[in-house]
Amino acid sequence: NDGSTDGTSEIAHAQQGIIVVDLPRNCGKGLALLTGLRSTDASLIVLMDADLKGLTPAHVSAVLEPVRKEACVMSVGIIDRGSMWMQFMKWMAGRSAASSLLLLSGQRALSRTLFENIPRSQLQRFGFEVALNEYCRQHYFPVTVIDLEGVHHVIKEKKLGLWKGLMARIQMIGNVVGTMVKIRRTHDEK
């Protein structure tokens, strides 16, 4: 829980068998994930956004299974945006450098080893998704795209109001693009 004040922590604490790690303030998605990772010794990691609507245990299993069966090192769950978008995403996965930007999703399963190999400087705020995608692309690791049919999320503009939501979105996009540029620049220098 990255310092949220929307009741997420209380709901999570009420669930049996769940360990909740509460950060005292919002530190960003990347740091929150790193903190959560440090609280477990699990070999496989499943990441799901807290604001998903329509998510079921079957969706979580669908994202986890390819990694558990070692068919790929990471699977990315894409929320429902229609079948044409899903077909495009599956086609793009692994085909181009653009896939690192297109596969922006908080719904993932991956090995702990993969997560631990990403430089910490790249796992800040929303840049961690690009960092994971880029690491897999640069090392030719297979990534599976999973259709999360019927799963939606509440957009920032709806959660925060139009103006604050739009500003948060612009900041997120800047963070994602900045991370991509930094990674590509570092990779090109090698």
Side-chain angles (χ1 to χ4, degrees):
N1 175 34
D2 191 21
S4 68
T5 58
D6 63 0
T8 300
S9 179
E10 291 78 11
I11 293 168
H13 278 287
Q15 306 303 310
Q16 206 165 26
I18 294 178
I19 299 169
V20 180
V21 179
D22 287 307
L23 297 177
R25 61 178 177 77
N26 183 293
C27 298
K29 192 170 187 175
L31 182 58
L33 291 172
L34 284 171
T35 303
L37 183 66
R38 289 185 191 120
S39 71
T40 180
D41 60 357
S43 61
L44 298 178
I45 308 298
V46 175
L47 307 172
M48 295 284 160
D49 289 344
D51 61 353
L52 297 175
K53 304 291 183 196
L55 184 70
T56 67
H59 290 115
V60 177
S61 293
V63 173
L64 177 59
E65 280 308 297
V67 178
R68 193 181 67 73
K69 291 181 177 177
E70 298 181 356
C72 60
V73 298
M74 180 172 68
S75 63
V76 180
I78 303 297
I79 62 173
D80 195 347
R81 291 192 175 115
S83 62
M84 291 291 285
W85 178 254
M86 192 63 220
Q87 289 173 6
F88 175 70
M89 295 298 280
K90 285 183 176 180
W91 181 80
M92 283 300 294
R95 284 193 166 73
S96 75
S99 66
S100 290
L101 286 173
L102 290 173
L103 293 177
L104 294 178
S105 171
Q107 291 53 255
R108 294 169 184 262
L110 56 141
S111 71
R112 179 185 197 88
T113 306
L114 172 63
F115 199 98
E116 290 175 340
N117 280 325
I118 308 297
R120 296 298 171 249
S121 63
Q122 296 174 5
L123 293 173
Q124 296 182 12
R125 302 237 165 249
F126 291 97
F128 85 96
E129 293 165 358
V130 171
L132 290 168
N133 295 344
E134 272 296 287
Y135 189 84
C136 289
R137 187 185 70 79
Q138 290 171 2
H139 292 85
Y140 303 99
F141 291 153
V143 174
T144 300
V145 176
I146 305 295
D147 182 2
L148 298 178
E149 189 175 340
V151 176
H152 304 278
H153 71 94
V154 180
I155 63 171
K156 293 181 184 320
E157 292 80 358
K158 187 146 185 136
K159 283 192 286 190
L160 303 172
L162 181 60
W163 181 247
K164 276 186 169 180
L166 187 59
M167 296 311 293
R169 182 169 304 284
I170 291 168
Q171 186 178 24
M172 178 187 73
I173 291 168
N175 186 252
V176 165
V177 171
T179 300
M180 174 67 95
V181 168
K182 183 170 36 171
I183 292 169
R184 293 279 171 90
R185 192 174 293 142
T186 302
H187 187 259
D188 290 346
E189 291 171 358
K190 289 182 181 179

